[in-house]
């Protein structure tokens, strides 16, 4: 009799517990959805430039940080990427502690760490199916929203969506710098490629191709090449059967020929110019500082202080446009390899619940991101980090039960 009562009470309690758990998950999902879309919207609007608000990068990053913390609130940590993130953080602060750079500032280091880690929470746990779909679809739409936003501003304010750069090539920019639009298009194209591979809808194949066209029209070289290679890897890898793969490759080549016959002259001007936009002078200066502070560098986030104003005026930027050189000058020969290895492992390990489930495709895609980082600012730009987020979140993986560690014993 007592056993029957216990069973009856358990049968009544379990459905209520399940309902409470589902309700809690719904609440956290809707909070995450609202915060994620708000952060992405503020990033797209680029109000610092468009509305003349100045540098509001801290506000944009903080919104992503809030969305990331909400995302983590109801999930167990994936210990592989979590340990990698801690190694990165420890390396930064150890190098900062031992640097002898005369203008070192803990405040500047903390600001750079915040910029780097704003999206890191998203890499520390595996997403649910709803979270994955929300992120991939919103990132896939971002390039088109940016172009439409640029057209609207052009019509409203006269701010041109296309301009001619120092090489003579016409470049698509709109509300963003072309390099930012290229990074957003790279992320959008890769997201669309993964959505096509999962749903087999030609709508996503069209989105992928259109995003690559936007990337090419921005006149950027390395992100365009890496975007094409990444999307080809995903789409061809997801296509079954030799005839289907030949068909996809044929369609891609035909689209490339049509594009080159229509817009190709402007793209080739940019690609064949050989111009580095004055970056060689910037790199020469930074290399001199590497020689002065070879072991632990000048401090994380401090490389902008090293670039003379004359070079900043020429290049119109104080960013290194080479993440390897930037890491070397800021963290030295001791810190930079650990920092870069930790970042690589963070991106790779976050794609799976265990190290053994990491795929060759993920490794290749992350390697392409690191190739991209050799000529552009990648690890501190939100649009570029969205590329790594797409690689991390795209592979489906079952969510572990609440409280269960994802690490293997």
């Amino acid at each position: 009799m007592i056993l029957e009562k216990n069973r009856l009470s358990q049968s009544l309690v379990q459905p209520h517990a399940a309902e409470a758990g589902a309700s809690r998950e719904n609440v956290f999902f809707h909070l995450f959805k609202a915060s994620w879309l708000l952060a992405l919207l503020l990033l797209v609007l680029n109000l610092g430039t468009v509305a003349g608000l100045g540098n509001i990068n801290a506000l944009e990053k903080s919104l992503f940080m809030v969305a990331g913390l909400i995302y983590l609130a109801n999930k167990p940590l994936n210990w592989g990427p979590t340990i990698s993130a801690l190694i990165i953080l420890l390396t930064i602060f150890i190098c900062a502690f031992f640097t002898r750079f005369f203008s070192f500032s803990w405040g500047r280091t903390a600001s750079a760490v915040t910029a780097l880690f704003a999206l890191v929470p998203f890499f520390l746990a595996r997403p649910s199916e709803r979270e994955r779909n929300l992120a991939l679809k919103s990132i896939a739409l971002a390039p088109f929203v940016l172009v439409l936003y640029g057209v609207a501003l052009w019509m409203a304010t006269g701010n041109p969506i296309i301009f001619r750069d120092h090489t003579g090539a016409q470049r698509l920019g709109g509300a963003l710098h072309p390099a930012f639009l290229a990074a957003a298009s790279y992320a959008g194209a890769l997201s669309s490629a993964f959505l096509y591979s999962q749903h087999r809808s030609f709508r996503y194949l069209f989105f992928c191709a259109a995003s690559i066209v936007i990337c090419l029209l921005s006149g950027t070289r390395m992100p365009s090449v890496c975007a094409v290679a990444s999307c080809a890897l995903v789409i061809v890898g997801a296509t079954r059967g030799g005839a289907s793969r030949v068909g996809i490759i044929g369609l891609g080549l035909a689209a490339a020929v049509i594009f080159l016959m229509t817009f190709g002259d402007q793209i080739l001007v940019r690609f064949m110019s050989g111009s580095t936009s004055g970056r060689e002078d910037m790199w020469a200066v930074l290399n001199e500082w590497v020689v002065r502070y070879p072991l632990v560098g000048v401090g994380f986030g401090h490389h902008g202080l090293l670039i003379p104003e004359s070079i900043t005026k020429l290049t119109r930027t104080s960013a290194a446009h080479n993440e390897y050189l930037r890491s070397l000058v800021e963290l030295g020969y001791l810190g930079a390899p650990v920092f870069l290895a930790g970042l690589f492992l963070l991106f790779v390990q976050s794609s799976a619940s265990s190290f053994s489930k990491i795929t060759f495709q993920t490794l290749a895609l992350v390697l392409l991101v690191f190739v991209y980082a050799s000529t552009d600012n990648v690890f501190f730009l939100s649009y570029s980090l969205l590329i790594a987020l797409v690689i991390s979140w795209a592979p489906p993986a079952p969510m572990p039960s609440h409280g269960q560690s994802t690490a293997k014993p």
Side-chain angles (χ1 to χ4, degrees):
M1 190 70 176
I2 295 174
L3 289 174
E4 289 179 0
K5 287 183 178 180
N6 287 337
R7 288 173 184 169
L8 181 60
S9 63
Q10 288 177 1
S11 66
L12 292 173
V13 169
Q14 286 175 351
H16 288 296
E19 289 176 5
S23 176
R24 178 182 172 85
E25 287 180 5
N26 281 331
V27 169
F28 275 103
F29 171 72
H30 288 298
L31 285 172
F32 164 70
K33 180 179 179 180
S35 58
W36 167 264
L37 293 177
L38 179 60
L40 202 58
L41 176 64
L42 188 64
L43 183 66
V44 166
L45 291 177
N46 191 27
L47 295 177
T49 300
V50 172
L53 299 180
N55 188 354
I56 60 169
N57 187 53
L59 176 59
E60 295 171 352
K61 296 285 188 180
S62 64
L63 286 177
F64 275 111
M65 180 71 78
V66 169
L69 294 176
I70 292 173
Y71 167 75
L72 281 181
N74 200 36
K75 293 181 176 64
L77 291 177
N78 188 346
W79 287 108
T82 301
I83 291 171
S84 296
L86 291 174
I87 290 173
I88 293 169
L89 195 61
L90 190 62
T91 301
I92 290 170
F93 282 101
I94 288 176
C95 291
F97 182 80
F98 285 104
T99 185
R100 293 296 175 262
F101 180 52
F102 55 87
S103 292
F104 173 80
S105 163
W106 281 106
R108 184 175 287 271
T109 292
S111 178
V113 168
T114 303
L116 175 67
F117 273 73
L119 273 74
V120 165
F122 298 113
F123 295 91
L124 304 185
R126 297 296 300 145
S128 67
E129 193 63 29
R130 289 190 298 177
E131 291 164 338
R132 177 183 296 108
N133 283 330
L134 172 67
L136 292 184
K137 289 178 180 179
S138 58
I139 293 171
L141 290 174
F144 308 103
V145 174
L146 285 167
V147 171
L148 291 174
Y149 181 44
V151 171
L153 288 174
W154 180 24
M155 296 174 65
T157 66
N159 186 35
I161 191 171
I162 296 175
F163 73 96
R164 192 178 297 275
D165 73 358
H166 66 284
T167 66
Q170 292 186 334
R171 303 178 65 184
L172 180 64
L176 287 179
H177 189 280
F180 295 176
L181 180 61
S185 301
Y186 184 172
L190 187 57
S191 185
S192 297
F194 272 114
L195 287 168
Y196 169 76
S197 71
Q198 293 167 13
H199 301 288
R200 294 296 193 276
S201 171
F202 281 93
R203 171 181 58 186
Y204 295 122
L205 195 61
F206 170 77
F207 286 169
C208 178
S211 295
I212 289 176
V213 168
I214 294 172
C215 191
L216 286 166
L217 289 176
S218 71
T220 52
R221 289 162 284 195
M222 187 61 79
S224 297
V225 171
C226 291
V228 170
S230 298
C231 293
L233 182 64
V234 173
I235 293 172
V236 174
T239 305
R240 297 291 177 261
S244 297
R245 289 186 176 181
V246 170
I248 289 290
I249 293 172
L251 284 173
L253 291 174
V257 170
I258 293 171
F259 178 80
L260 289 173
M261 290 176 65
T262 52
F263 300 100
D265 57 337
Q266 296 299 316
I267 304 303
L268 290 175
V269 167
R270 175 76 177 164
F271 274 67
M272 301 300 290
S273 69
S275 170
T276 60
S277 305
R279 294 173 190 170
E280 66 278 5
D281 296 329
M282 181 188 300
W283 294 338
V285 169
L286 292 177
N287 275 312
E288 291 176 4
W289 285 95
V290 172
V291 174
R292 297 182 192 180
Y293 296 90
L295 296 182
V296 294
V298 299
F300 195 67
H302 287 71
H303 85 282
L305 298 176
L306 313 177
I307 302 170
E309 186 178 354
S310 58
I311 294 178
T312 300
K313 286 182 177 179
L314 173 65
T315 60
R316 290 182 292 181
T317 180
S318 60
H321 285 80
N322 183 326
E323 297 289 23
Y324 301 101
L325 181 55
R326 174 175 182 160
S327 301
L328 194 58
V329 76
E330 291 186 344
L331 299 172
Y333 286 104
L334 296 180
V338 180
F339 170 80
L340 293 168
L343 207 56
F344 183 86
L345 288 174
L346 172 68
F347 294 160
V348 168
Q349 288 180 295
S350 62
S351 68
S353 56
S354 64
F355 198 80
S356 61
K357 294 180 180 178
I358 296 170
T359 64
F360 171 79
Q361 182 186 79
T362 296
L363 289 170
L365 291 173
V366 174
L367 279 172
L368 283 169
V369 172
F370 272 70
V371 171
Y372 173 27
S374 64
T375 60
D376 290 80
N377 306 308
V378 172
F379 301 145
F380 297 84
L381 178 63
S382 297
Y383 284 115
S384 299
L385 289 174
L386 290 180
I387 302 167
L389 182 63
V390 169
I391 298 170
S392 169
W393 279 29
M399 283 286 294
S401 59
H402 186 68
Q404 180 183 351
S405 173
T406 57
K408 282 193 171 184

